[in-house]
């Protein structure tokens, strides 16, 4: 046994370095330098380079955003890194349900790409688009202790570290909801009201951010980046954004909520 | 999750316990049911379960008198991961809940009342459980039921909930209360899914209790609050095994032994219609099962070394029967899902009055109990000391071979005084050596069920496949041999060592044999299943493939060609398995096997030697149809 361990270390020393790809488990000589998965897996990623819908960031035409009801939306817009296909579903499942937390870094890197795309899209010669802080869609306590982590929070906190933008938990989830997929569109939207509430320290934290600006620079409206793993109908992020905007109004602090999600279904 | 830790003094001795519903413990120790409790001292109202288990186990190992519990806990946890230490110390210093809960002389303290209040309505503990705690009869019933459902099991919390949802839905909500009572009654063992590092003489790294792996990763954990809670990366496919995850196990009952103490009789073998060679091997295995188990670190092992096409499934029937006769439980495990699916109806047919539960990833019968369990090796992680006999079929197949995780799971699933039987046509070298040294009990079945000798591979010398593809031509010796096979009406397996060679070789073959249907398939081919069916029904006559088809696929009247037989991707076992595809049917027992390569390698020599040796044994024992009759 000892000898075997020794020999293994010797073998590792002489044989060329071989990496195992996180997503396909194949052993390859070199991983993609930016994403750290193999080139083959990198090629299969269905990036949304240019969204067809300027509102929800969808890669294909979308009837939802032109409906009259859509005018009530609370987010400015959503941008997503990838289209949610079978492969992306598998990656998210590996992370969220299997609990393979190695995926956090990969998904966050992918998310960062959409963020830089967003920055490029909204910044022009007259206007520098800047996010003041990042927040995330919360999960319930029960879910949190079952899973051990909140994927949206993890993605947000890695992005916050990489982009040096503060991450502030602003929201809480009140109760457990029945699985979304069993419900109609109308039911979902109804249900979303009242699920989220402001975190007890949220108002103070928002004030702190505002106060950190000197009086000469006008930071208003504050721009918040709301992070989640997946955007389906937008009801979740809109419910969150509603609460944030209401809080902003009561503080005389106009807000814009931009939504950044890893996948658009 | 988090668990409470407390110390209880019975007579003059202290004991450290963990609890996932402290109310049950308070009633248990003070009601008099547990005898002579004097004092209960709360050490922590909730700490990461892994730490709690570690403290409990450490106390059991030491058993001395403690003066300062906080200091003792601090000492006990100081070896925790550096990232965790700071948190631990803060925790222990700040824990205002710690202190005396109950004293026989003065009764309950304020801390106990506080705890009781806190526990109702927190963390999955509901008010309704409180009435349950008061109505002790009902709680006792539930505790017994949960313990019974968990006999021979090793389950994580999430798996327990799945099992309850299926087998006892009324227990789902209050499972913590019932589990805690079952634990206090000694019916159920509670531990953490990861075992901590062990120092001292028998040094051990932290490892997974479920799969034995040391491949751990640490992340911040919202379940227990630790900033660096470890989880096992090796067995994620079966749900996450974590330092703070509760692992529930039952106490094992001693194993039964095959038709205890009696020599295997002709009657035990008679009804199965075995050939003489099968009878002799099965008889030897029955003798092994009947022998009393020795006190040893691991269960006793026996290898049934049966050549390809020997009919090993029929041979295990009498072995299963002998364990069932003594009311034992049998597990048949194999690394391959297709083998499980193929065996299941045959076992069910052979044992019509038994319940057979068939388990594989995604199977329906996940929580069904049976006297016979058929499972892929991964499923074994959900069992603990459950089986009297564990049969491992295709021992040397991927992914069991070389996967210590699956070997660990198999060992844990078997009772410590239970027995192991391995089945293989090509046992790994380690086992072959144990046989040579006389250390492994075994029986060989050197002949196929049809009692004709195994086809001995013939050699064709030819260039490498890569060179043939480059030159766009196949050597005439190979073409002629293939022609002979086609002419005699055989189905042809043509094995190559690499997937990328399949298509070009198919093209080359089509140039020479345009009039027969030729196809190629590999592990990456989604139409593999259909092509194998077409090959079986002779709609494809020549199938080019890789070692993916070295096992399992049996086609009557078939010949086998192995190109690049000198490739280091083909070891002795693989060559014997591929050669084993030929001559499987009674009507065409003498198929052809061709090793085509430039070099005559050691693996090829050993494969031919192994095949010839088996034929020789079969001949000398009189097992062959045309060998001289003995006696
Ligand atoms: Zn890959
Ligand atoms: Zn849209
Ligand atoms: Zn934890
Ligand atoms: Zn494990």
């Amino acid at each position: 046994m000892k000898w075997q361990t020794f020999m293994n270390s010797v073998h590792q020393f002489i044989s060329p370095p071989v990496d195992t790809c996180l997503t396909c488990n194949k052993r390859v000589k070199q991983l993609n330098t930016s994403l750290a998965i193999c080139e083959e897996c990198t090629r299969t990623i269905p990036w949304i380079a240019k969204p067809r819908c300027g509102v929800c960031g969808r890669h294909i035409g979308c009837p939802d955003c032109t409906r009259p009801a859509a005018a009530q939306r609370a987010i400015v817009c959503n941008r997503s890194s990838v289209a949610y296909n079978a492969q992306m579903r598998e990656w998210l499942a590996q992370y969220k349900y299997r609990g393979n937390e190695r995926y956090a870094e990969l998904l966050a890197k992918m998310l960062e790409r959409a963020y830089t795309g967003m920055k490029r899209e909204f910044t022009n010669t007259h206007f520098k688009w800047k996010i003041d802080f990042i927040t995330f869609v919360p999960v319930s306590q029960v879910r949190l202790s079952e899973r051990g982590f909140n994927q949206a929070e993890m993605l947000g906190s890695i992005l916050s570290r990489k982009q040096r933008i503060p991450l502030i938990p602003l929201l809480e989830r009140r109760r457990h909801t029945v699985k979304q997929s069993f419900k109609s569109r109308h039911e979902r939207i109804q249900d979303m009201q009242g699920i989220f509430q402001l975190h007890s320290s949220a108002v103070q934290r928002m004030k702190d951010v505002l106060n950190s600006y000197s009086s000469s620079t006008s930071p208003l409206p504050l721009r918040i980046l709301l992070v989640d793993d997946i955007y389906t109908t937008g009801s979740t992020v809109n419910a969150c954004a509603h609460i944030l905007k209401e809080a902003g109004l009561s503080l005389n602090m106009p807000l814009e909520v931009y939504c950044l999600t890893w996948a658009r279904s | 999750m988090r668990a409470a830790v407390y110390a209880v003094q019975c007579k003059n001795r202290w004991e450290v316990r963990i609890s996932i519903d402290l109310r049950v413990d308070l009633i248990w120790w003070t009601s008099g049911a547990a005898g002579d409790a004097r004092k209960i001292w709360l050490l922590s109202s909730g700490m990461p379960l892994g730490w709690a288990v570690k403290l409990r186990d450490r106390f059991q190992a030491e058993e001395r008198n403690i003066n300062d519990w906080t200091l003792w806990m601090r000492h006990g946890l100081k070896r925790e991961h550096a990232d965790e230490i700071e948190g631990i110390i803060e925790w222990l210093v700040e824990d205002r809940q710690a202190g005396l809960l109950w004293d026989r002389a003065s009764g309950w303290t304020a801390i106990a009342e506080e705890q009781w209040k806190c526990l109702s309505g927190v963390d999955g503990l509901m008010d309704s459980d409180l009435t349950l705690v008061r109505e002790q009869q009902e709680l006792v019933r539930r505790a017994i039921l949960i313990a019974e459902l968990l006999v021979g099991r090793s389950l994580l919390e999430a798996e327990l909930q799945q099992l309850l949802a299926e087998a006892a839905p009324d227990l789902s909500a209050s499972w913590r209360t019932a589990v805690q009572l079952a634990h206090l009654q000694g019916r159920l063992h509670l531990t953490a899914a990861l075992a901590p590092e062990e120092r001292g003489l028998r040094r051990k790294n932290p490892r997974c209790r479920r799969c034995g792996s040391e491949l751990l990763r640490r992340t911040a954990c919202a379940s227990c609050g630790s900033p660096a809670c470890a989880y096992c990366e090796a067995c994620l496919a079966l749900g996450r095994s974590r330092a703070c995850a509760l692992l529930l196990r039952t106490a094992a009952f001693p194993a039964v032994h095959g038709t205890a103490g009696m020599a295997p009789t002709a009657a035990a073998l008679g009804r199965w219609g075995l050939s003489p060679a099968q009878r002799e091997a099965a008889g030897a295995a029955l003798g092994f099962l009947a022998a009393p188990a020795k006190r040893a670190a691991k269960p006793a092992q026996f290898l049934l070394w049966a050549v390809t096409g020997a009919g090993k499934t029929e041979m295990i029937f009498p072995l299963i029967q002998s364990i069932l006769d003594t009311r034992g439980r049998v597990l048949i495990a194999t690394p391959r899902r297709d083998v499980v699916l193929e065996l299941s109806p045959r076992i069910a047919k052979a044992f019509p009055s038994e319940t057979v539960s068939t388990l594989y990833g995604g199977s329906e019968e996940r929580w069904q109990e049976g006297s016979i369990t058929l499972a892929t090796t991964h499923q074994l992680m959900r069992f603990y000391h459950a089986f009297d006999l564990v049969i491992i079929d295709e021992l040397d197949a991927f992914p069991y071979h070389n996967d210590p995780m699956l070997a660990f799971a198999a060992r844990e699933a078997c009772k410590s005084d239970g027995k192991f039987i391995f089945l293989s046509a090509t046992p790994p070298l380690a086992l072959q050596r144990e046989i040579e040294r006389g250390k492994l009990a075994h029986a060989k079945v050197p002949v196929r069920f049809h009692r004709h000798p195994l086809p001995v591979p013939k050699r064709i010398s030819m260039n490498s496949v890569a060179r043939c593809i480059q030159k766009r031509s196949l050597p005439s010796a190979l073409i002629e041999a293939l022609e002979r096979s086609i002419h005699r009406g055989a189905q042809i397996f043509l094995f190559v060592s690499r997937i990328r060679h399949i298509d070009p070789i198919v093209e080359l073959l089509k140039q020479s044999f345009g009039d027969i249907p030729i196809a190629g398939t590999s592990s990456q081919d989604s139409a593999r299943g259909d092509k194998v069916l077409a090959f079986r029904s002779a709609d494809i006559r020549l199938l080019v493939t890789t070692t993916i088809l070295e096992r399992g696929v049996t086609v009557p009247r078939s010949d086998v060609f192995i190109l690049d037989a000198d490739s280091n991707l083909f070891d002795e076992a693989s060559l014997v398995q591929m050669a084993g595809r030929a001559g499987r049917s009674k009507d065409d027992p003498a198929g052809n096997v061709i090793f085509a390569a430039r070099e005559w390698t050691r693996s090829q020599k050993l494969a031919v030697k192994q095949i010839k040796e088996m034929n020789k044994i079969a001949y000398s024992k009189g097992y062959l149809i045309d060998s001289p009759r003995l006696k």
Side-chain angles (χ1 to χ4, degrees):
Chain A
M1 195 59 210
K2 286 269 162 56
W3 172 249
Q4 193 58 46
T5 325
F6 168 72
M7 282 310 283
N8 283 347
S9 61
V10 171
H11 286 151
Q12 265 168 16
F13 185 68
I14 26 185
S15 58
V18 177
D19 286 307
T20 306
C21 171
L22 171 69
T23 48
C24 70
N25 263 319
K26 281 198 191 108
R27 287 158 70 78
V28 290
K29 282 201 199 80
Q30 201 168 9
L31 296 176
N32 180 287
T33 43
S34 66
L35 293 178
I37 52 173
C38 79
E39 292 295 344
E40 219 178 304
C41 288
T42 309
R43 270 196 296 279
T44 60
I45 296 174
W47 297 107
I48 302 180
K50 250 212 152 120
R52 279 271 289 278
C53 176
V55 177
C56 68
R58 206 170 178 203
H59 49 293
I60 45 177
C62 90
D64 286 2
C65 297
T66 49
R67 275 187 205 154
Q72 291 173 12
R73 67 169 179 272
I75 57 165
V76 177
C77 67
N78 169 69
R79 291 295 177 267
S80 307
S81 313
V82 295
Y84 197 50
N85 65 8
Q87 174 137 355
M88 295 302 108
R89 183 178 305 130
E90 173 60 25
W91 290 11
L92 188 62
Q94 284 292 336
Y95 177 42
K96 216 162 128 176
Y97 304 117
R98 286 255 190 267
N100 188 345
E101 290 187 59
R102 279 184 194 273
Y103 275 83
E105 197 65 29
L106 169 67
L107 303 198
K109 279 177 186 159
M110 293 168 71
L111 191 73
E112 191 182 21
R113 226 200 239 218
Y115 172 77
T116 45
M118 224 170 168
K119 215 156 88 178
R120 219 178 303 121
E121 186 182 341
F122 297 116
T123 299
N124 56 42
T125 44
H126 313 289
F127 173 69
K128 191 169 184 303
W129 183 82
K130 184 179 160 293
I131 287 292
D132 295 291
F133 56 87
I134 300 174
T135 195
F136 52 86
V137 175
V139 298
S140 69
Q141 263 311 312
V142 175
R143 190 68 77 235
L144 189 61
S145 79
E146 209 173 81
R147 201 171 280 164
F149 61 93
N150 171 1
Q151 67 286 354
E153 179 182 0
M154 287 304 297
L155 295 178
S157 82
I158 299 174
L159 185 69
S160 144
R161 198 184 65 217
K162 286 176 188 281
Q163 292 287 329
R164 297 168 191 278
I165 305 169
L167 176 91
I168 307 181
L170 292 179
L171 297 159
E172 282 172 347
R173 191 179 280 246
R174 277 203 182 117
R175 58 185 150 87
H176 228 48
T177 46
V178 186
K179 257 195 105 182
Q180 288 247 336
S181 42
F182 295 128
K183 294 185 178 168
S184 73
R185 188 189 147 74
H186 183 71
E187 277 177 312
R188 281 195 215 180
I189 293 168
Q190 283 282 304
D191 251 34
M192 281 298 160
Q193 313 292 344
I195 284 180
F196 300 104
Q197 63 186 26
L198 275 190
H199 201 279
S200 52
S201 65
V203 171
Q204 191 52 49
R205 312 271 315 248
M206 279 156 81
K207 277 185 187 160
D208 292 347
V209 171
L210 197 63
N211 293 338
S212 68
Y213 290 96
S214 66
S215 51
S216 60
T217 54
S218 165
L220 295 174
L222 276 187
R223 287 192 194 87
I224 302 180
L225 190 70
L226 176 64
V227 171
D228 203 2
D229 51 355
I230 175 158
Y231 183 106
T232 308
T233 59
S235 54
T236 308
V237 289
N238 267 305
C240 290
H242 259 298
I243 290 168
L244 296 176
K245 288 186 84 169
E246 268 169 29
L249 280 180
S250 69
L251 290 170
N252 253 334
M253 199 193 286
L255 298 174
E256 283 181 2
V257 181
Y258 289 80
C259 180
L260 179 67
T261 48
W262 171 73
R264 176 70 175 95
S265 76
Chain B
M1 64 158 61
R2 289 184 179 194
V5 189
Y6 63 91
V8 54
Q9 190 189 28
C10 289
K11 297 191 182 113
N12 279 322
R13 269 173 54 174
W14 286 92
E15 240 181 276
V16 170
R17 293 282 190 147
I18 63 165
S19 177
I20 56 171
D21 186 348
L22 197 59
R23 298 170 307 181
V24 181
D25 301 72
L26 294 180
I27 292 178
W28 173 264
W29 293 111
T30 57
S31 68
D36 209 13
R38 292 183 181 176
K39 268 183 196 163
I40 306 174
W41 190 279
L42 185 62
L43 302 180
S44 167
S45 56
M47 65 161 75
L49 179 90
W51 306 355
V53 166
K54 187 173 176 179
L55 288 175
R56 177 195 68 190
D57 296 350
R58 183 179 133 95
F59 188 86
Q60 270 178 2
E62 291 174 352
E63 278 193 43
R64 53 187 159 82
N65 255 330
I66 313 288
N67 296 318
D68 183 340
W69 285 106
T70 310
L71 193 71
W72 175 77
M73 285 198 288
R74 223 160 136 160
H75 194 74
L77 296 172
K78 75 176 177 201
R79 300 271 189 215
E80 283 302 307
H81 192 257
D83 292 347
E84 288 190 290
I85 282 191
E86 221 170 293
I88 291 172
I89 291 176
E90 244 170 67
W91 203 304
L92 298 178
V93 173
E94 277 180 19
D95 195 350
R96 302 228 166 95
Q97 298 295 325
L100 188 69
L101 289 174
W102 179 80
D103 185 316
R104 183 154 357 131
S106 49
W108 300 104
T109 65
I111 296 177
E113 267 175 54
E114 181 75 7
Q115 278 302 305
W116 193 283
K117 253 185 268 164
C118 282
L119 279 165
S120 307
V122 173
D123 234 13
L125 291 174
M126 277 165 286
D127 281 335
S128 58
D129 302 344
L130 191 65
T131 40
L132 198 61
V133 175
R134 293 208 177 106
E135 287 165 28
Q136 292 185 20
Q137 294 257 305
E138 172 60 10
L139 183 58
V140 167
R141 184 192 73 85
R142 292 186 180 201
I144 293 173
L145 183 57
I146 256 182
E148 273 171 7
L149 285 169
L150 283 167
V151 167
R153 289 286 189 173
S154 172
L155 299 184
L156 296 175
E157 182 189 334
E159 291 167 329
L160 171 74
Q161 286 185 4
Q162 288 168 25
L163 178 138
L164 291 180
E166 196 182 296
D170 57 320
L171 264 64
S172 284
S174 57
W175 69 270
R176 290 174 77 133
T177 315
V179 159
Q180 189 60 31
L181 181 58
H183 175 56
L184 286 166
Q185 290 172 329
R187 296 171 195 270
L188 197 58
H189 184 56
L190 299 184
T191 188
L194 298 190
E197 179 183 284
E198 279 172 34
R199 301 252 164 172
L201 285 175
R202 285 196 318 152
R203 212 204 128 107
K204 274 184 181 166
N205 290 329
R207 70 201 181 285
C208 176
R209 284 205 168 95
R210 199 164 61 148
C211 76
S213 160
E214 294 176 5
L215 190 68
L216 308 181
R217 182 182 172 84
R218 287 175 184 275
T219 57
C221 174
S223 312
C224 69
S226 161
C229 183
Y231 70 84
C232 172
E233 292 194 288
C235 62
L236 273 177
L238 277 95
R240 193 149 75 154
S241 169
R242 193 148 217 184
C244 69
L246 181 66
L247 187 67
L248 304 105
R249 289 177 161 178
T250 41
F253 304 110
V256 301
H257 297 292
T259 333
M262 285 189 295
T265 55
L269 288 164
R271 62 176 270 223
W272 304 103
L274 303 180
S275 74
Q278 286 173 318
R279 280 178 82 104
E280 190 178 324
L286 279 175
F288 162 77
L289 291 181
K294 290 191 197 98
R295 278 202 160 274
K298 57 179 185 177
Q301 303 181 334
F302 186 93
L303 171 69
L304 255 182
W305 185 346
V307 295
T308 54
K312 60 188 171 181
T313 308
E314 293 80 28
M315 264 181 282
I316 65 174
F317 289 163
L319 314 183
I320 296 171
Q321 187 64 59
S322 83
I323 297 295
L324 295 178
D325 286 346
T326 47
R327 317 204 66 185
R329 285 180 74 193
V330 181
L331 167 72
I332 304 150
T334 160
R336 294 156 41 109
R337 203 179 110 153
D338 49 345
V339 176
V340 168
L341 292 172
E342 191 208 297
L343 275 180
S344 179
R346 293 176 69 184
I347 300 278
K349 202 176 150 201
F351 299 94
S353 57
E354 302 291 335
T355 47
V356 180
S357 83
T358 306
L359 309 172
Y360 50 89
S363 67
E364 300 271 300
E365 304 169 40
R366 252 203 306 188
W367 306 112
Q368 203 202 39
E369 292 284 331
S371 50
I372 305 174
T373 303
L374 252 159
T376 52
T377 35
H378 275 91
Q379 298 294 322
L380 306 192
M381 277 180 232
R382 297 198 166 119
F383 293 97
Y384 183 69
H385 292 191
F387 301 102
D388 303 276
L389 169 61
V390 174
I391 298 174
I392 303 214
D393 194 4
E394 304 256 12
L395 164 79
D396 54 312
F398 178 83
Y400 188 85
H401 187 40
N402 287 334
D403 191 340
M405 174 168 93
L406 299 178
F408 176 90
R411 226 169 29 241
E412 293 280 289
C414 187
K415 292 182 180 176
S416 51
D417 51 352
K419 306 241 167 135
F420 260 91
I421 290 182
F422 299 127
L423 299 181
S424 179
T426 46
L429 272 179
L431 287 191
Q432 292 190 34
R433 271 195 215 112
E434 277 189 50
I435 287 180
E436 278 161 25
R437 287 202 222 108
K439 287 200 170 164
L440 178 62
H442 69 282
K444 281 181 188 161
V445 187
V447 66
R448 288 180 161 171
F449 76 95
H450 57 47
R451 305 181 59 194
H452 291 274
L454 299 162
V456 177
K458 293 186 228 28
R459 194 182 163 199
I460 287 182
S461 177
M462 69 175 269
N463 272 328
S464 70
V465 170
R467 184 97 185 95
C468 294
I469 292 169
Q470 205 177 35
K471 288 199 328 190
R472 306 198 49 76
S473 81
L474 293 170
S476 55
L478 178 67
I479 302 269
E480 281 158 22
L482 284 167
E483 248 162 19
R484 280 195 293 276
S485 285
I486 293 166
H487 192 70
R488 79 176 195 94
Q491 291 293 98
I492 302 166
F493 280 100
L494 193 142
F495 291 97
V496 295
S497 61
R498 292 181 188 280
I499 293 175
R500 64 167 189 271
H501 290 159
I502 293 177
D503 291 340
I505 284 290
V506 167
E507 284 317 304
L508 283 180
L509 288 165
K510 278 183 178 164
Q511 283 172 21
S512 306
F513 306 102
D515 50 343
I516 60 158
I518 299 173
T521 191
S522 73
S523 57
Q524 288 167 19
D525 182 1
S526 54
R528 189 169 90 225
D530 294 337
K531 285 183 187 165
V532 168
L533 285 179
F535 185 57
R536 271 196 178 132
S537 60
D539 290 330
I540 293 172
R541 287 288 309 280
L542 196 167
L543 188 63
V544 181
T545 184
T546 61
T547 48
I548 185 76
L549 291 190
E550 76 177 27
R551 293 159 196 261
V553 180
T554 305
V555 179
R557 189 179 289 275
S558 50
D559 285 354
V560 171
F561 288 75
I562 302 161
L563 307 195
D564 281 347
D566 53 356
S567 159
N568 56 12
L569 294 172
F570 296 147
D571 60 5
E572 176 189 348
S574 174
L575 291 168
V576 170
Q577 288 286 353
M578 289 185 284
R581 301 301 103 213
R584 292 291 283 263
S585 65
K586 204 159 72 190
D587 307 323
D588 182 49
N592 296 306
V593 179
I594 306 290
F595 285 176
R598 267 171 55 156
E599 310 277 336
W600 185 240
T601 52
R602 190 178 141 80
S603 293
Q604 292 174 79
K605 279 181 218 160
L606 286 174
V608 172
K609 188 174 158 229
Q610 195 184 118
I611 289 168
K612 281 185 173 163
E613 236 160 57
M614 286 296 189
N615 284 342
K616 213 162 97 190
I617 300 172
Y619 181 85
S620 65
K621 287 209 167 191
Y623 291 151
L624 295 176
I625 274 182
D626 48 5
S627 57
R629 293 253 167 231
L630 298 177
K631 289 172 202 167

